Amino acid sequence: MAKNLRPSVQDVARLAGVSLGTVSNVLNNPGVVRRATAERVQQAISDLGFVRNDAARQLKAGKSKTLGLIVLDASNPFFSEVARGAEDRAVSLGYSLIVGNSGNDEDRENHYIGLFEEQRMAGVLVSPAGSDAQLMDELRSKHLRAVLVDRTAPNNSGCSVGVDDMAGGKLAAQHLIDQGRKRIAFVGGPLNIKQVRDRLNGASEVVNETAGATIRIIESAGMTVLAGREIGDRLLAEDSKSRPDAIFAANDLIAIGLLQSFVFNSRIRVPEEIALIGYDDIGFAETAIVGLSSIRQPAKEIGKTSVDLLFDEIENLETHEHRQVTFRPELVVRASSSCI
């Protein structure tokens, strides 16, 4: 055997002095093999450093034990928590999970979908970069069992798990108004991201129903700390009388960037001059330089529930019924939005 080649099943059989069928039984059904023979095969496996080609085995059997997950932004701790919850549940069910990051790019999303299809994965979880309906049609055309994550599947075309972002936007705006704030700004973007639009629409509905309150939309280049700092620096350049007295950021990363811009060198007092609330309640929110108020999403539970729905479709295809699970967000108040 050449040194640069991986040992094969044939090599194991040759070294152990048994047939290929015996090696296969030791790997897949050891109970039917005599103990002494099984020990000889296991010793050959150990001596050769043989590793079974599980992907090929699953492909031949027509059944995979691997799931795929495509997230919008792997650098966002919210999606990291979703992935952790999904992985924990998948492992508990005997599956493994492979994560891909689309970066909110439909071409990259399609690349991963094609890759997962080629790997014959049992099913995929996707937080879509584009149209929900178009994505579900594409996944179904490829015969991929799928669950939409952090979105809602249209027309009962599949299962989905998400959060009521309209309700989350309302919670954030109402909290700021309850603190006596009237000049509210919404910071987030791009606005073509459905979750961002829904959070803005929820906040706008509350503001428009409140006498004397206004909402200013400031679209950010992205959903990152740096994008938040950029908007914060722009606001610092404005006359203090024209600035908002409260900001609802589309996620916590943007809010943390705003907070850094305002608080460094004590240029704007938070919350005295500008109250601030984010969205997601990531781990950094509580430990920020000023404790960040936020709208909490149950990220791990979203991941776990997504895998549960996908598992049910995989294991019970004939009786499975598509479900749309929507979690309610929760207001978490900290120092950044309340002087109390």
Side-chain angles (χ1 to χ4, degrees):
M1 183 180 64
K3 291 183 179 180
N4 62 339
L5 295 179
R6 293 179 179 177
S8 66
V9 175
Q10 289 86 348
D11 296 322
V12 173
R14 190 179 302 114
L15 182 60
V18 298
S19 68
L20 291 175
T22 299
V23 176
S24 177
N25 280 333
V26 171
L27 292 172
N28 301 300
N29 193 18
V32 302
V33 183
R34 288 170 44 185
R35 181 175 179 180
T37 302
E39 289 177 351
R40 197 162 70 251
V41 171
Q42 290 290 358
Q43 186 61 50
I45 288 173
S46 177
D47 291 345
L48 291 170
F50 169 78
V51 178
R52 68 193 291 170
N53 187 339
D54 202 50
R57 180 183 65 84
Q58 292 178 359
L59 183 61
K60 183 177 180 180
K63 187 175 183 181
S64 170
K65 300 294 284 185
T66 304
L67 307 178
L69 168 63
I70 305 174
V71 298
L72 277 177
D73 182 4
S75 67
N76 187 332
F78 166 73
F79 286 111
S80 298
E81 287 294 289
V82 170
R84 177 64 182 272
E87 182 183 27
D88 287 347
R89 181 66 85 205
V91 170
S92 74
L93 295 172
Y95 284 75
S96 57
L97 184 77
I98 295 177
V99 181
N101 173 40
S102 74
N104 197 35
D105 183 307
E106 290 185 58
D107 289 337
R108 285 182 62 176
E109 177 180 273
N110 289 331
H111 165 75
Y112 278 112
I113 290 173
L115 179 63
F116 291 168
E117 181 187 18
E118 290 173 3
Q119 296 298 317
R120 301 294 196 275
M121 291 195 176
V124 297
L125 312 168
V126 188
S127 183
S131 164
D132 301 345
Q134 182 178 342
L135 177 61
M136 288 305 293
D137 288 343
E138 179 182 355
L139 293 170
R140 294 305 172 192
S141 72
K142 296 177 181 295
H143 306 290
L144 282 170
R145 295 164 188 143
V147 173
L148 295 191
V149 181
D150 201 29
R151 295 285 271 272
T152 301
N155 304 320
N156 199 36
S157 56
C159 289
S160 62
V161 182
V163 172
D164 188 341
D165 285 313
M166 282 279 292
K170 291 179 181 180
L171 280 174
Q174 189 62 59
H175 169 65
L176 294 174
I177 287 171
D178 289 345
Q179 304 306 304
R181 312 296 171 141
K182 292 295 182 68
R183 301 190 313 277
I184 297 172
F186 175 86
V187 178
L191 295 178
N192 63 352
I193 299 176
K194 185 178 185 300
Q195 294 93 323
V196 176
R197 291 199 311 273
D198 285 349
R199 293 165 196 179
L200 169 59
N201 290 337
S204 297
E205 186 174 317
V206 170
V207 172
N208 293 335
E209 293 174 352
T210 303
T214 59
I215 187 164
R216 172 184 173 186
I217 302 171
I218 306 175
E219 186 170 4
S220 61
M223 303 281 279
T224 65
V225 173
L226 288 178
R229 287 180 64 175
E230 179 185 354
I231 299 298
D233 291 344
R234 282 165 46 187
L235 290 172
L236 284 169
E238 295 183 0
D239 183 272
S240 60
K241 294 181 180 178
S242 66
R243 292 176 191 150
D245 61 9
I247 295 176
F248 169 32
N251 76 356
D252 286 343
L253 296 179
I254 292 174
I256 289 171
L258 287 163
L259 193 59
Q260 290 177 354
S261 179
F262 294 161
V263 174
F264 288 169
N265 300 319
S266 302
R267 290 181 286 184
I268 288 181
R269 292 176 300 150
V270 177
E272 290 83 359
E273 295 177 80
I274 297 181
L276 179 62
I277 185 169
Y279 205 104
D280 291 335
D281 195 35
I282 63 176
F284 297 122
E286 187 174 7
T287 58
I289 189 168
V290 176
L292 180 65
S293 295
S294 188
I295 303 300
R296 176 179 294 162
Q297 298 193 83
K300 283 187 178 179
E301 197 61 33
I302 290 172
K304 291 178 180 179
T305 304
S306 299
V307 170
D308 283 339
L309 294 178
L310 185 57
F311 178 78
D312 185 68
E313 184 171 357
I314 293 168
E315 298 293 327
N316 306 296
L317 185 59
E318 298 300 323
T319 59
H320 173 79
E321 294 184 2
H322 294 322
R323 293 172 54 206
Q324 282 72 53
V325 177
T326 304
F327 289 99
R328 296 285 296 182
E330 176 188 351
L331 172 66
V332 179
V333 178
R334 299 189 179 98
S336 70
S337 67
S338 176
C339 295
I340 299 175

